[in-house]
Amino acid sequence: MKIALIIENSQAAKSETVHAALKAVVEPLGHEVHHYGMYSAEDQASLTYVMNGLLAGILLNSGAADFVVTGCGTGMGSMLACNSMPGVFCGLINDPTDAFLFGQINDGNAISMPYAKGFGWAAELNLQDCYRKLFEGERGLGYPKERAEIMRRNRGILKDLKAVTCRDMLTVLKSMDQDLLKAAIAGAQFSNLFFANARDESIRAYLKSVVDARAPQTA
């Protein structure tokens, strides 16, 4: 599984702590971590929590990522932004119990975590425990087990409902503020990671045109 990590500007100084905790848990399980930034508070390309959601939508709908790990100060803004995107089902995760229940009951494809609120001593251990509860073992089995079938049906109903209430990702990309889109994909590693992994050719082609138009022209 390809897991995308996205960190916004207010918490960029904690990027390496979050990245290291995620890799320590998921890489031994055979998953890949693709870090889309921010990488430090000094990065030229700055991501807001709104851009976190937009990037999550791009990566999940294009197939460039199978799962997104993101967050902000409280985790709330990034969660809301992610859930505004088609095909993205993001949970707010504060502790390992949240992670376990989200994975078993909701079986979404993104999580948002608080990287300021409650982020104190040994915070990296809480991060690792959350990732273990989420990524170890099979998700979507239900909890309690006797309600697994109704939970599975409800996930399908929610997915169908979101498909009706949201436009497709390509339409979103073409209709949105193009300056916001350009800023969201301006990260140093976006092109290298995205174009090597994206499977949806229509999204891939449109973002290639945006990237090419943004590139400085040579005489």
Side-chain angles (χ1 to χ4, degrees):
M1 181 163 62
K2 294 188 289 287
I3 301 171
L5 175 62
I6 309 169
I7 304 286
E8 54 88 59
N9 52 22
S10 75
Q11 304 306 310
K14 296 168 184 160
S15 178
E16 184 48 42
T17 298
V18 179
H19 189 204
L22 181 60
K23 289 197 302 178
V25 172
V26 304
E27 287 186 347
L29 299 174
H31 305 311
E32 303 173 30
V33 177
H34 295 174
H35 193 350
Y36 279 85
M38 294 173 63
Y39 307 101
S40 75
E42 289 73 42
D43 285 5
Q44 279 194 321
S46 181
L47 294 173
T48 65
Y49 74 82
V50 177
M51 294 176 188
N52 286 5
L54 176 56
L55 276 175
I58 289 171
L59 299 176
L60 291 169
N61 283 281
S62 68
D66 304 303
F67 199 96
V68 168
V69 172
T70 188
C72 53
T74 64
M76 196 72 72
S78 290
M79 182 269 291
L80 291 171
C82 285
N83 283 322
S84 73
M85 293 291 113
V88 182
F89 299 89
C90 181
L92 176 63
I93 306 301
N94 291 286
D95 56 43
T97 303
D98 286 344
F100 173 78
L101 293 174
F102 176 69
Q104 294 305 315
I105 296 172
N106 309 106
D107 193 20
N109 52 13
I111 63 167
S112 179
M113 300 188 74
Y115 298 134
K117 180 178 178 287
F119 200 91
W121 189 59
E124 74 281 2
L125 300 181
N126 182 63
L127 291 175
Q128 290 182 30
D129 287 343
C130 289
Y131 300 145
R132 287 190 187 96
K133 287 296 186 182
L134 186 62
F135 294 113
E136 284 183 349
E138 185 179 351
R139 295 201 311 276
L141 298 179
Y143 186 86
K145 294 293 177 66
E146 59 268 22
R147 289 185 53 81
E149 179 56 29
I150 192 169
M151 291 171 182
R152 185 193 64 78
R153 289 202 304 270
N154 283 337
R155 290 196 300 269
I157 292 169
L158 180 60
K159 184 177 180 181
D160 291 343
L161 179 61
K162 188 154 193 172
V164 172
T165 59
C166 289
R167 295 182 292 178
D168 66 277
M169 195 68 211
L170 182 60
T171 300
V172 171
L173 294 176
K174 289 182 175 180
S175 305
M176 66 174 293
D177 182 328
Q178 295 299 286
D179 287 335
L180 176 61
L181 175 58
K182 290 172 186 176
I185 63 173
Q189 293 301 317
F190 177 84
S191 291
N192 290 338
L193 290 171
F194 176 79
F195 293 113
N197 292 283
R199 297 192 300 270
D200 186 289
E201 287 302 322
S202 59
I203 294 176
R204 196 177 187 280
Y206 186 73
L207 290 183
K208 182 70 164 59
S209 70
V210 173
V211 169
D212 288 347
R214 193 187 63 208
Q217 303 297 312
T218 56

